[in-house]
Amino acid sequence: MSEIAADVLVLGGGPAGVWAALAAAAEGARVVLVDKGRCGASGPTAKGIVSLWNIPPGPARDEAVRRSFEHGGQLGDPEWMHRVLAETHRRVDQLVRWGYRFPGEGAGRPARVSLDGAKYLGRLRRSLIVAGVRVLDHHPALQLRVDVEGVVSGASGVQSRNDFRTWTARAGAVVLATGGCAFLSGGAGTDVDTGDGLLMAAEAGGELSGMEFSGAYALAPVGDSRLAAVAADEVPGPGTAPAPDLALHFATLYDETGAVLGGDPFGSRAAAFAALADGRRVYAALDELPGRLGRQLSHGQARVPLRAVLEGTVRGTGGVRIVGFECATTVAGLFGAGDVATREPITGAVGGFGGQGGAWAISSGVWAGTGAARFARGRGRVGKVRSVAGAGLNPAASIDPRAVVGLVQEHTVPLRRSYWRSAGSLRDSIAELDAMWPVTEFGLGGSGPDRVRARQAAALLAVARWTKYSALARTETRGMHRRTDHPGAASDWRMRLFAGGLESVWVRPGRCEPGADRPRADLTPA
C-alpha cells in the first residue's frame, strides 16, 4: 500500500485539476495531484482545440454577460459570470507569460479565444513540476476519506500501472476535478469521464445541482473521425482524436430533403439534433468551409452525414453543488472544480458551448485550489480517518459491470431518452435504473482492473438516476432540458434543482443566488 500525505489532494489532471494544484501551491500548500490517466494526455481537452470565453473588460464583456444570462434561461448569475471572465482573462495573460502561444494569434483572427488542448495541457504540466506539485499518473481514485466529524480528509484508490495496488492519501482538503459524465458514449477523450467524482461526493453527503441539464450532444461525421476541431486551420498531429464539434460551427447543416437547418449556429445545431431525434438524416456541407480546412475535411464530398454523440454533463451543466466563490461543496473539506462541479452560475440551463467550459475550468480550478489550501491551513493537523463506504466495491463480485453499463446507456445515449423527454419516458427509465441500484451497490466489485470497471459502472448508474429524477421534477422546457409534455418555459420554474441520495434519490428546489444553501420544501416527483 502506498501512503501519501499532503495539505491539498487534487483528484483529476485535466485543466481544472492542474489550475487547482497550481493555485494551492501558490498558497504555500504541499500539493499532490492524482489522475486516472496521465495528467496532460487524457480527457477531452487533450484531444482537440478548446474554445475559451475570454473577453477584455468593457462593453463587450457586459454584453456577453447579458446574453449568457438570457440564453441560460435566467438561471445563471451575472456576478459569477463577471468573476469568471475576469479570472480567465488574468490567467490567459499568465499562460502567455509562461510561453504558451495561441493558435492563429496575429493572423487577423480573434485573439486568445481557442487553445490547442494538447499543447495547453503540456504547458500546464510543466508548470506543475516547476511549482513543486507531486503528480501521480494512472492513480484512479475510488473513495473519499473523512475524519470522525465527517470532514473530507483524503482519498484512496489503485495504481493501474502497478498491479492495481492500493494507494491512500491523507490531506487537509480535497479538490474534486474528476470531470463530468459522458456515459461512455464514445466522444473524443471522454472515456475517463464516468462520473466517479459525482458518486464520491454524494457518498460523502454532498449535493448536486442542475442534473436535469445533462442532455448535451455533439455532432460528428458518421463512421469518420476526420472532422477536426481545428480553429487554427491545421490538421492535428498523429494520435490526436479531436472533438469534431467546433468545425461544424462553420458548416451549413441540411436535412435529408436538402432544406437548410436553423439560422445562427445555435439554431442550426438545435434543429439538427431535433431532426436526428425524429429519425431524419442530417448532413454538413464541409466543402463550404473556408480554405484548406474545407478541402481537408470534405475530401471532395459535397455533404457529409452526421450523427449525435452524447456528452452528458461534460458539456452539459449539472454537477456537484458549490456554495461559495471558493467553490466549496456542501461537505466540509471538499471543493469542486471543472466539469464535476455545476456550471449553473455561469451557463444557467445551457452547456458550455460558447467557451464557458474552458473558462470555468480555469476559474473554478484557481478558486477551489485557493480555497482548499486556506481550509487546510486553518484546519491544522488531521486526526484519524476512514474511507467512505462506496457502491461497487465488493471484493466478491456477483454481476458483470457490462450489464449495468448497457442498461445505463440504453436509457441515456439515445436522443429519444436524453434530448426529448416526457413524464412517461422518464418514469420508465427511473423504474429500470432504480431496480438495478441495489444489485449494483452490493453485487459489483472484484479486484484489479475489474474493481475500477465496477466502480465506474456504479457511478454511471448513479449519475443516470440523478439526471432522470431531476428531469422529471422540472415540468417545463428550459435551455437544454426539453420536455415534449411541457414544451414552454414556466415563470415559476426560474429556480435551481438540487439532488442527491443513493438508495433513495431526492430532488428539491432552491434559489438561484450563489451560496443559497437553504432550499425550500422537498419536491418529490409524482
Side-chain angles (χ1 to χ4, degrees):
M1 180 180 294
S2 176
E3 298 280 356
I4 301 165
D7 298 321
V8 174
L9 175 68
V10 179
L11 307 182
V18 175
W19 282 108
L22 291 172
E27 289 285 321
R30 294 175 304 148
V31 184
V32 174
L33 182 150
V34 298
D35 193 10
K36 180 190 283 190
R38 184 181 188 278
C39 173
S42 64
T45 297
K47 305 304 180 183
I49 298 295
V50 179
S51 58
L52 196 62
W53 203 37
N54 178 31
I55 304 170
R61 180 182 288 183
D62 296 337
E63 176 61 16
V65 168
R66 187 197 66 77
R67 282 189 283 108
S68 184
F69 179 72
E70 293 298 328
H71 185 58
Q74 299 185 347
L75 293 189
D77 185 271
E79 184 177 2
W80 276 87
M81 296 176 198
H82 277 290
R83 283 173 175 262
V84 166
L85 284 164
E87 189 69 61
T88 301
H89 200 62
R90 283 194 296 269
R91 299 300 167 172
V92 163
D93 287 343
Q94 185 174 344
L95 268 177
V96 173
R97 291 196 300 273
W98 287 343
Y100 180 84
R101 293 294 174 260
F102 281 80
E105 190 170 18
R109 297 173 184 164
R112 302 179 183 179
V113 293
S114 65
L115 296 158
D116 181 303
K119 293 180 180 178
Y120 171 44
L121 287 175
R123 172 59 59 185
L124 289 180
R125 182 176 176 114
R126 290 192 289 275
S127 298
L128 287 175
I129 305 305
V130 172
V133 174
R134 184 181 178 190
V135 178
L136 299 175
D137 298 316
H138 308 293
H139 276 60
L142 300 178
Q143 295 168 274
L144 291 176
R145 306 178 82 196
V146 296
D147 67 8
V148 293
E149 296 180 345
V151 179
V152 173
S153 307
S156 63
V158 294
Q159 305 171 55
S160 57
R161 294 291 178 89
N162 188 18
D163 297 325
F164 289 88
R165 294 178 180 176
T166 300
W167 62 262
T168 62
R170 179 190 296 261
V174 173
V175 177
L176 271 181
T178 52
C181 182
F183 301 103
L184 294 178
S185 60
T190 61
D191 56 308
V192 295
D193 291 318
T194 51
D196 310 18
L198 283 80
L199 178 58
M200 285 189 282
E203 288 170 340
E207 298 181 1
L208 302 111
S209 184
M211 296 303 290
E212 69 272 31
F213 304 122
S214 58
Y217 284 84
L219 291 170
V222 174
D224 195 342
S225 61
R226 288 181 288 104
L227 182 57
V230 187
D233 197 16
E234 59 187 23
V235 175
T240 302
D245 212 31
L246 278 179
L248 289 172
H249 283 295
F250 304 98
T252 303
L253 305 182
Y254 300 85
D255 69 9
E256 57 195 10
T257 69
V260 176
L261 294 172
D264 59 85
F266 284 109
S268 180
R269 290 160 54 85
F273 291 129
L276 289 167
D278 290 339
R280 291 181 285 150
R281 289 187 288 273
V282 171
Y283 300 86
L286 300 183
D287 59 338
E288 297 176 6
L289 296 180
R292 185 163 57 94
L293 181 61
R295 294 191 299 273
Q296 289 167 340
L297 298 180
S298 66
H299 281 234
Q301 301 178 67
R303 294 175 185 173
V304 176
L306 302 179
R307 60 189 174 92
V309 180
L310 178 65
E311 293 185 317
T313 67
V314 173
R315 251 204 306 152
T317 294
V320 177
R321 182 183 168 205
I322 52 176
V323 295
F325 290 123
E326 287 190 329
C327 291
T329 71
T330 54
V331 181
L334 185 65
F335 297 76
D339 294 345
V340 75
T342 180
R343 278 196 291 256
E344 281 177 303
I346 65 165
T347 65
V350 298
F353 294 104
Q356 291 97 330
W360 178 246
I362 293 173
S363 303
S364 63
V366 170
W367 299 336
T370 301
R374 293 173 179 172
F375 182 91
R377 185 166 58 242
R379 179 181 181 184
R381 182 178 177 276
V382 177
K384 185 177 180 180
V385 300
R386 62 173 176 83
S387 293
V388 177
L393 293 171
N394 188 344
S398 60
I399 62 172
D400 190 334
R402 289 176 295 184
V404 178
V405 173
L407 178 68
V408 169
Q409 291 182 326
E410 177 186 342
H411 288 277
T412 55
V413 173
L415 286 157
R416 70 180 188 278
R417 293 288 191 181
S418 292
Y419 190 82
W420 294 126
R421 296 158 168 172
S422 69
S425 68
L426 290 166
R427 290 193 184 102
D428 173 63
S429 293
I430 286 171
E432 294 203 33
L433 296 171
D434 278 356
M436 178 62 81
W437 179 256
V439 181
T440 296
E441 188 174 16
F442 301 107
L444 273 178
S447 59
D450 291 339
R451 191 177 183 206
V452 176
R453 285 192 286 267
R455 186 64 166 158
Q456 290 182 162
L460 290 172
L461 179 57
V463 175
R465 294 172 72 217
W466 292 319
T467 64
K468 300 300 180 183
Y469 271 93
S470 297
L472 181 59
R474 185 175 286 279
T475 53
E476 65 158 359
T477 290
R478 188 183 297 265
M480 70 169 60
H481 173 63
R482 304 167 187 88
R483 287 283 295 266
T484 57
D485 50 350
H486 296 281
S491 59
D492 57 343
W493 272 107
R494 201 176 74 81
M495 63 179 72
R496 295 184 186 156
L497 289 182
F498 306 144
L502 294 164
E503 182 179 348
S504 178
V505 174
W506 55 264
V507 180
R508 65 183 181 229
R511 295 173 296 173
C512 291
E513 293 83 357
D517 56 354
R518 287 182 295 178
R520 294 175 232 169
D522 285 356
L523 179 70
T524 303

